[in-house]
Amino acid sequence: MSFSADIEQFVLKSEKRLEGVIKESIKNVVNTTQIEVKNGGKMRDRKTNFLRASARASTEGFPSGPDIRPKDAQLNSFTYDGEAVIAVINDMKLGDTFYFGWTANYAAARELHDGFLETAVQNWQQFVNANSERFRGK
């Protein structure tokens, strides 16, 4: 191989590692925000699970969705679609902006009280460090 081909291969490998570290670290933050209190997290959604289920992700802008829980909602009647969020993360390219949030109209108030997002984001560097180690050998 020529020197320039070696450099090109190194850059490509480095970009793949960087992309892996970023995506996995974002997944770690998202997954941490969604851990319920009963499982050691900060997400408190005791009745219908509407808040947790209202989580959305996008690379186009802040996601939208239902914001008001139906009055006749039954106990645990909503389910979080983590696969849809992970799909957005997996489709991201280097340089994309990732938007994540909850569409429930009371999400901001719950965040102020419980800090499920703030606490998860505070662990960003730990997630990056762990994922850097993991991807270093790949």
Side-chain angles (χ1 to χ4, degrees):
M1 283 176 124
S2 70
F3 180 72
S4 61
D6 287 344
I7 296 295
E8 189 174 316
Q9 185 178 22
F10 173 79
V11 168
L12 182 60
K13 199 179 211 183
S14 296
E15 285 176 349
K16 284 185 180 265
R17 286 181 183 158
L18 178 61
E19 188 173 302
V21 169
I22 291 168
K23 287 180 179 183
E24 288 304 309
S25 298
I26 292 171
K27 288 176 190 176
N28 293 143
V29 169
V30 167
N31 290 337
T32 301
T33 68
Q34 292 293 88
I35 299 172
E36 296 168 285
V37 170
K38 67 182 178 185
N39 295 322
K42 299 242 181 193
M43 176 58 70
R44 187 164 53 130
D45 201 6
R46 295 173 279 193
K47 295 177 183 166
T48 63
N49 209 30
F50 182 73
L51 172 60
R52 188 170 184 269
S54 76
R56 303 284 190 279
S58 173
T59 55
E60 303 297 317
F62 194 79
S64 62
D67 62 343
I68 299 174
R69 177 181 58 219
K71 291 183 193 291
D72 61 347
Q74 301 297 311
L75 191 64
N76 294 317
S77 58
F78 295 93
T79 304
Y80 168 57
D81 188 1
E83 295 299 317
V85 173
I86 298 301
V88 171
I89 296 168
N90 287 339
D91 288 343
M92 287 176 58
K93 305 290 183 256
L94 280 178
D96 285 351
T97 300
F98 179 72
Y99 299 90
F100 176 77
W102 298 267
T103 62
N105 62 352
Y106 57 94
R110 287 279 26 117
E111 168 60 23
L112 281 173
H113 187 269
D114 300 325
F116 40 86
L117 179 60
E118 180 181 13
T119 303
V121 171
Q122 287 174 353
N123 292 317
W124 174 256
Q125 192 61 56
Q126 292 171 319
F127 295 140
V128 169
N129 292 347
N131 289 313
S132 293
E133 277 299 313
R134 194 172 131 219
F135 279 89
R136 185 169 287 142
K138 291 185 177 187

